[in-house]
Amino acid sequence: MNDIQIRDPFVLPLPEANEYLLFGSTDPNIWSGPATGFDCYRSTDLLHWEGPVPAFRPPPGFWSHEQFWAPEVHRYQGRFFMFATFSAPGHFRGTQILSADRPEGPYTPWSDGPVTPLNWQCLDGTLHVDADGAPWMVFCHEWKQVHDGTVMAQRLSPDLRQAEGTPVLLFSGSEAPWSRPLQVPSTAELDFPAYVTDGPYLHRLSSGSLIMLWSSFGDHGYAMGIARSESGTVLGPWRQEDRPLWGTDGGHGMIARTFNGQLFLTLHQPNNSPHERASFHHLKELEDTVVLAPPTTGISNSGTAPGRQAR
């Protein structure tokens, strides 16, 4: 992993191929300049990786040419769908849905532009399918527009082509006891504090409880916390945990299982370019949350990677 610069890592396990695919923000400079696309990498053990494999390259006439961020790939109704964030001058940042018939791509546009509101600054859409089989997108309304960034839920059409209805507010960034206002030059003249919301990812525990990872800034830089749905549904209400799951210079993570059923977390750390890398950590599943498991040595053929104790 030391050789792979990547932010916002997302792992898609493929049991039928006995391999994992790793996606993420893979352009050398995701902040400015022309964007290339998204790459993916293959592994059988979450330690040794092959690639890159081009997963998405913008087709001629594609509306965005910069800031390609946070691709997630979900298997849904027999196809593979990539939710990714794009931006362009004269357009608000938003999440568009791409699709492919193979997990590594190539992905092509599926929705007609972003499925986030066109007059909102949005990012980091993720797919959630509820107990009735209805698809939702959970995404962030960005602090650059609303200052206290929010996490929103949006119904999608069954074919994932478009949004249905209006977005629903789930929570604001300032609601978490661990989150802190963003301290950068662009916020110095604001009349009120700015709170970041990044990278929501929903996970259903074995108990049936529904939790959400999401990232912001804490006492020690970029961090990632957990919110719990008190109703067990995407609409919550969502209760924030007091302390972050990951508290020091890392975040935008997701949860997956190895092929022998062990839960693991991946996130990027540190949070500064070009040094960001994906890291993998054991998780222990509790009744209504997860915690970082004690450190272990080595890595198994099933893809269990070492973690570190946070609590």
Side-chain angles (χ1 to χ4, degrees):
M1 290 309 306
N2 288 338
D3 298 327
I4 303 174
Q5 180 188 352
I6 191 169
R7 296 180 67 86
D8 320 320
F10 188 93
V11 174
L12 177 67
L14 297 171
E16 66 274 21
N18 193 39
E19 67 179 15
Y20 305 89
L21 293 185
L22 173 66
F23 299 86
S25 305
T26 49
D27 281 340
N29 184 353
I30 68 165
W31 310 109
S32 63
T36 300
F38 298 121
D39 292 332
C40 73
Y41 296 83
R42 287 190 173 96
S43 176
T44 58
D45 59 10
L46 298 177
L47 181 62
H48 304 94
W49 296 88
E50 297 179 356
V53 176
F56 170 72
R57 296 294 184 266
F62 190 64
W63 68 277
S64 175
H65 304 281
E66 61 185 22
Q67 297 182 346
F68 290 7
W69 296 353
E72 294 191 3
V73 171
H74 301 267
R75 194 193 304 249
Y76 176 79
Q77 293 188 348
R79 289 185 63 83
F80 296 91
F81 292 90
M82 177 182 283
F83 287 59
T85 300
F86 300 99
S87 182
H91 296 264
F92 288 102
R93 193 186 333 274
T95 293
Q96 182 162 358
I97 301 173
L98 317 174
S99 184
D101 55 10
R102 298 169 53 183
E104 69 273 20
Y107 285 84
T108 58
W110 182 259
S111 63
D112 183 14
V115 289
T116 46
L118 297 182
N119 60 342
W120 288 15
Q121 288 278 26
C122 303
L123 73 168
D124 296 348
T126 185
L127 177 66
H128 172 72
V129 180
D130 68 19
D132 297 323
W136 295 77
M137 180 179 64
V138 175
F139 68 94
C140 297
H141 193 179
E142 199 173 9
W143 69 270
K144 289 186 176 182
Q145 189 174 45
V146 295
H147 302 300
D148 192 355
T150 64
V151 175
M152 312 292 298
Q154 171 71 66
R155 282 289 298 267
L156 297 175
S157 61
D159 61 3
L160 305 187
R161 293 278 191 183
Q162 58 191 5
E164 292 188 344
T166 58
V168 179
L169 173 65
L170 302 185
F171 58 85
S172 299
S174 63
E175 292 180 32
W178 57 267
S179 67
R180 300 293 181 264
L182 182 62
Q183 302 292 333
V184 295
S186 60
T187 65
E189 296 182 1
L190 294 179
D191 294 332
F192 39 82
Y195 287 85
V196 168
T197 48
D198 279 351
Y201 180 79
L202 283 74
H203 177 76
R204 182 77 65 182
L205 299 171
S206 300
S207 65
S209 297
L210 184 65
I211 64 172
M212 184 194 305
L213 302 182
W214 67 282
S215 296
S216 187
F217 284 83
D219 289 329
H220 304 288
Y222 202 48
M224 181 172 55
I226 294 176
R228 310 176 201 167
S229 171
E230 295 186 345
S231 68
T233 73
V234 67
L235 296 180
W238 291 89
R239 175 177 294 178
Q240 305 294 329
E241 294 196 352
D242 290 339
R243 299 175 60 190
L245 175 67
W246 188 275
T248 304
D249 198 24
H252 199 126
M254 58 87 65
I255 295 171
R257 289 188 185 275
T258 63
F259 298 136
N260 66 0
Q262 293 179 302
L263 214 59
F264 70 90
L265 169 75
T266 183
L267 73 158
H268 75 249
Q269 60 171 147
N271 192 46
N272 60 306
S273 297
H275 306 294
E276 58 270 75
R277 299 293 185 268
S279 61
F280 300 87
H281 306 271
H282 287 300
L283 288 175
K284 181 179 180 181
E285 184 174 347
L286 306 180
E287 180 72 15
D288 60 357
T289 192
V290 294
V291 296
L292 290 166
T296 60
T297 58
I299 186 166
S300 75
N301 291 331
S302 61
T304 303
R308 71 175 179 84
Q309 188 76 34
R311 308 184 182 208

